[in-house]
């Protein structure tokens, strides 16, 4: 099953890897909080997506618009 691939790590993380992962997660959580706060105060979704998104294919040109998504995908 594909879900089995991420059930457990292949090996334990080194202390440095754990530190890097914790820092990455902390930064990601802050980015989420900042973008949600911006949306809640009324900022335009396109502007927020352009500022916070890491998806280059939708960030600048489409402002976060993913276009039509087929439900079968």
């Amino acid at each position: 099953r594909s879900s089995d691939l991420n059930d457990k790590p292949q090996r334990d993380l080194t202390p440095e890897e754990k530190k890097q992962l914790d820092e990455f997660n902390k930064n990601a959580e802050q980015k989420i909080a900042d973008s949600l706060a911006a949306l809640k105060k009324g900022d335009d979704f396109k502007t927020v997506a352009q500022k916070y998104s890491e998806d280059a294919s939708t960030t600048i040109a489409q402002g976060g618009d993913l276009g039509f998504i087929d439900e079968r995908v």
Side-chain angles (χ1 to χ4, degrees):
R1 273 184 356 190
S2 63
S3 62
D4 292 336
L5 296 175
N6 293 318
D7 283 351
K8 56 185 174 182
Q10 297 295 314
R11 61 174 175 77
D12 290 336
L13 297 176
T14 66
E16 182 59 28
E17 289 170 330
K18 174 82 168 101
K19 181 180 172 185
Q20 290 173 354
L21 181 59
D22 289 344
E23 185 67 22
F24 176 87
N25 287 335
K26 178 182 165 191
N27 291 336
E29 288 171 3
Q30 185 61 55
K31 195 176 201 181
I32 291 166
D34 291 347
S35 60
L36 182 59
L39 291 169
K40 283 184 174 182
K41 78 172 188 174
D43 288 2
D44 179 63
F45 180 83
K46 181 177 182 176
T47 303
V48 173
Q50 288 173 328
K51 181 175 181 179
Y52 293 102
S53 178
E54 295 176 2
D55 181 2
S57 67
T58 62
T59 301
I60 297 171
Q62 289 109 337
D65 186 352
L66 300 176
F68 179 76
I69 300 174
D70 189 323
E71 67 182 33
R72 295 174 287 174
V73 175

